[in-house]
């Protein structure tokens, strides 16, 4: 397995460009299943998770061609409908094929994702949504087997505003007979981006980005064209990289509006943020101030930035409290940050972070995507050379991270196994 070696202690400077959002491109690619023909998607990041979704689409019968960040999915012939365990266990977002397969073929067989490093992550709300739309759901031998003659519009009230659940339901309801309403829908920008793509295919979706989404089902969709929204979590991670290294960087092609809650916390920590159109200048403080954070569904502070902020706050001049309210087990980075000298105490879903003056380099191991990012950040600030192991987690969601950080002056190197 590859590892990354980082020689910490250098202030980052220069310019970095943000890639398309992982969590937007995944449902957008599965949505291409809904209409046969040639879909064109641009600003597609080169990520392991994107490659996994492409493999699923090809398994179902699609043809995919790519030219740098432009992807063409030809989906005229989709005649298989099984997402096997081997793929789903590497990426839970594979569940996003459920709604589109049901909508296109009236049939889907998807391996149950099971638990993962950050929590149990059930899919009961996805299944409830499909049932409300008239699908018959059976759980057999570790698989969800779903069938429907023609989906029927319904009102679906989500107990929790699940992101991929909202997306799955929206995709299925787009081709259901009649009108659907999703109440307590997830409001994440990635949900809105998917709705824009679906509407480019002829869907009639209103209210995506708010808690109530109305979908007037249509009998068929046509191929769509779309440019994927910039990745707000990648943007936030680079902001944290500038902040933790006392750097001064410009992040290009970002959407600061999607980062309002994150920007507020950075500013409270003493980070200077200057947006200029789609560019953001970020300047790190001499030492961050302590900040308390509760993760929340959008527009609250994202759980996907929690680990990166913890790395920053571990160097704060005082104590911070982080409460994780989305996933019950998303503190796997704590033990590794402590190995680098951080002073963090865990109490259930709350972490008390007593800031230390400096972190020390250490070999560390990543357990999930954002935990890996927090270790990279800590290593950028730590004195000496740190080794971050299990880099494949980073490759799932950050495009060319070491090249981009290297371009900002970080001393970072990937060592192939
Ligand atoms: N939940 C249920 N039942 C369900 C679905 C969700 O109880 O049927 C619970 C979850 O256990 C969790 C909460 O609802 O406690 C929210 O989970 P959600 O379904 O919103 O998460 P997700 O859709 O599986 C997406 C992102 C995650 C991100 C979360 C929260 C994608 C592909 N993944 O996951 O991204 O953390 O929303 O914002 O969009 C990442 O990029 O590192 C990542 C993990």
């Amino acid at each position: 397995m590859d590892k990354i070696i980082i020689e910490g202690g250098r202030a980052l400077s220069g310019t970095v460009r943000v890639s398309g959002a992982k969590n937007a491109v995944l449902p957008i690619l599965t949505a291409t299943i809904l209409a046969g023909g040639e879909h064109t998607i641009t600003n597609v990041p080169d990520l392991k998770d994107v490659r996994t979704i492409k493999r699923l689409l090809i398994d179902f019968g699609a043809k995919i061609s790519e030219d740098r960040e432009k992807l063409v999915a030809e989906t005229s012939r989709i005649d298989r409908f099984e997402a096997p365990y081997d793929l789903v266990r590497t990426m839970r977002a594979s569940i996003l094929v459920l709604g589109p397969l049901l909508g296109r073929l009236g049939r889907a067989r998807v391996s149950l994702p099971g638990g993962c490093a950050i929590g149990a992550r059930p899919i009961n709300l996805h299944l409830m949504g499909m049932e409300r739309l008239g699908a018959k759901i059976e759980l057999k031998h570790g698989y969800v087997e779903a069938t429907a003659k023609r989906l029927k519009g319904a009102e679906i009230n989500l107990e929790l505003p699940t992101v991929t659940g909202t997306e799955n339901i929206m995709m299925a309801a787009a081709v259901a007979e009649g009108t659907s309403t999703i109440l307590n829908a997830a409001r994440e920008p990635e949900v809105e981006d998917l709705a824009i793509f679906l509407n480019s295919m002829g869907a009639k979706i209103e209210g995506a980005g708010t808690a109530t989404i109305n979908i007037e089902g249509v009998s068929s969709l046509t191929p769509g064209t779309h440019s994927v929204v910039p990745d707000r979590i990648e943007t936030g991670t680079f902001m944290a990289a500038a902040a933790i290294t006392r750097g001064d960087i410009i992040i290009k092609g970002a959407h600061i509006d999607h980062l309002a809650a994150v920007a507020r916390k950075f500013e409270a920590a003493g980070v200077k943020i200057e947006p200029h159109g789609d560019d953001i200048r970020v300047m790190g403080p001499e030492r961050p101030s302590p900040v308390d954070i509760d993760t929340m569904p959008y527009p609250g502070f994202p759980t996907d930035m929690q680990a990166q902020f913890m790395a920053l706050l571990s160097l704060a001049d005082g104590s911070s409290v982080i409460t994780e309210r989305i996933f019950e087990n998303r503190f796997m980075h704590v033990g590794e940050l402590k190995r680098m000298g951080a002073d963090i105490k865990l109490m259930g879903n709350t972490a008390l972070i007593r800031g230390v003056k400096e972190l020390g380099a250490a070999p560390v191991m990543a357990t999930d995507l954002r935990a890996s990012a927090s270790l990279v950040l800590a290593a950028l600030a730590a004195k000496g050379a740190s080794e971050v192991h299990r880099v494949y987690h980073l490759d799932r969601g950050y495009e060319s991270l070491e090249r981009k950080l290297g371009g900002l002056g970080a001393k970072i190197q990937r060592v192939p196994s």
Side-chain angles (χ1 to χ4, degrees):
M1 274 177 256
D2 293 4
K3 63 183 174 189
I4 284 182
I5 302 178
I6 297 170
E7 184 90 45
R10 297 172 157 230
L12 298 189
S13 65
T15 299
V16 64
R17 180 164 285 281
V18 175
S19 301
K22 167 178 87 76
N23 290 347
V25 75
L26 298 178
I28 285 169
L29 287 178
T30 65
T32 65
I33 293 171
L34 283 166
E38 209 173 274
H39 303 259
T40 305
I41 322 291
T42 53
N43 205 26
V44 175
D46 182 16
L47 302 172
K48 192 153 159 267
D49 278 6
V50 172
R51 289 195 281 276
T52 306
I53 284 283
K54 287 191 295 200
R55 255 187 76 190
L56 273 172
L57 292 179
I58 291 166
D59 276 3
F60 298 153
K63 292 198 181 79
I64 293 193
S65 55
E66 281 170 284
D67 179 13
R68 296 208 277 193
E69 45 65 87
K70 176 175 156 188
L71 181 149
V72 175
E74 155 55 71
T75 54
S76 300
R77 222 193 82 200
I78 296 282
D79 51 11
R80 287 180 295 270
F81 50 82
E82 177 170 319
Y85 176 68
D86 276 354
L87 284 185
V88 179
R89 79 189 164 88
T90 65
M91 189 188 71
R92 301 178 50 85
S94 309
I95 192 67
L96 285 165
V97 303
L98 181 64
L101 285 175
L102 264 177
R104 174 88 178 259
L105 302 176
R107 220 168 156 188
R109 189 164 187 270
V110 183
S111 172
L112 277 166
C116 79
I118 62 176
R121 302 184 76 180
I123 56 159
N124 57 310
L125 300 173
H126 299 237
L127 303 185
M128 178 277 283
M130 297 304 136
E131 280 182 327
R132 293 278 304 147
L133 294 171
K136 187 168 158 246
I137 304 279
E138 286 181 290
L139 302 182
K140 277 192 196 160
H141 312 296
Y143 278 76
V144 179
E145 299 195 354
T147 46
K149 278 217 174 69
R150 170 91 204 266
L151 296 168
K152 293 221 158 48
E155 184 176 289
I156 297 160
N157 197 342
L158 293 173
E159 186 185 311
L160 289 166
T162 159
V163 175
T164 49
T166 301
E167 292 164 347
N168 243 335
I169 295 166
M170 206 163 71
M171 291 189 277
V175 291
E177 193 180 328
T179 305
S180 299
T181 304
I182 310 176
L183 301 168
N184 197 26
R187 290 178 278 171
E188 270 69 1
E190 294 77 21
V191 173
E192 203 178 340
D193 206 42
L194 171 64
I196 295 170
F197 177 58
L198 289 167
N199 285 341
S200 87
M201 294 167 70
K204 295 189 172 156
I205 301 172
E206 275 178 8
T210 75
T212 305
I213 304 179
N214 289 305
I215 305 144
E216 200 185 314
V218 296
S219 55
S220 65
L221 295 171
T222 53
T225 301
H226 187 70
S227 175
V228 178
V229 70
D231 197 313
R232 65 194 163 98
I233 306 300
E234 189 199 13
T235 308
T237 304
F238 283 119
M239 292 169 84
I244 205 168
T245 62
R246 305 186 182 110
D248 182 352
I249 69 168
I250 292 174
I251 305 172
K252 294 192 94 63
H255 273 192
I256 189 75
D257 309 359
H258 293 164
L259 282 150
V262 173
R264 270 198 298 278
K265 293 296 178 184
F266 273 126
E267 282 172 340
V271 180
K272 284 214 174 69
I273 299 172
E274 288 175 4
H276 304 277
D278 284 349
D279 295 350
I280 310 171
R281 182 172 175 197
V282 186
M283 288 159 279
E286 198 43 42
R287 192 171 176 196
S289 304
V291 174
D292 292 344
I293 289 172
D294 277 33
T295 64
M296 290 285 183
Y298 192 83
F301 187 94
T303 174
D304 291 346
M305 277 300 298
Q306 179 258 107
Q308 300 89 315
F309 241 84
M310 192 180 292
L312 176 67
L313 295 176
S314 68
L315 287 164
D317 188 8
S319 296
S320 309
V321 175
I322 295 184
T323 306
E324 170 57 55
R325 298 196 184 276
I326 308 293
F327 294 115
E328 66 273 22
N329 193 23
R330 210 174 195 179
F331 280 137
M332 304 290 271
H333 42 286
V334 169
E336 300 298 299
L337 289 173
K338 283 167 82 166
R339 298 185 59 250
M340 298 178 77
D343 180 353
I344 305 171
K345 193 171 163 197
L346 269 186
M347 293 154 291
N349 67 339
T350 298
L352 169 66
I353 304 123
R354 296 189 187 96
V356 293
K357 280 215 170 95
E358 57 180 41
L359 295 172
V364 285
M365 187 138 78
T367 45
D368 74 75
L369 171 57
R370 310 303 171 186
S372 319
S374 84
L375 300 179
V376 168
L377 292 170
L380 287 172
K383 279 220 168 100
S386 297
E387 286 184 4
V388 182
H389 294 263
R390 300 207 173 158
V391 176
Y392 60 88
H393 289 294
L394 280 173
D395 297 336
R396 291 189 48 194
Y398 289 96
E399 185 174 49
S400 318
L401 186 66
E402 68 269 21
R403 183 181 56 74
K404 289 187 181 186
L405 285 173
L408 292 171
K411 210 165 169 208
I412 179 167
Q413 181 197 354
R414 179 186 287 245
V415 181
S417 55

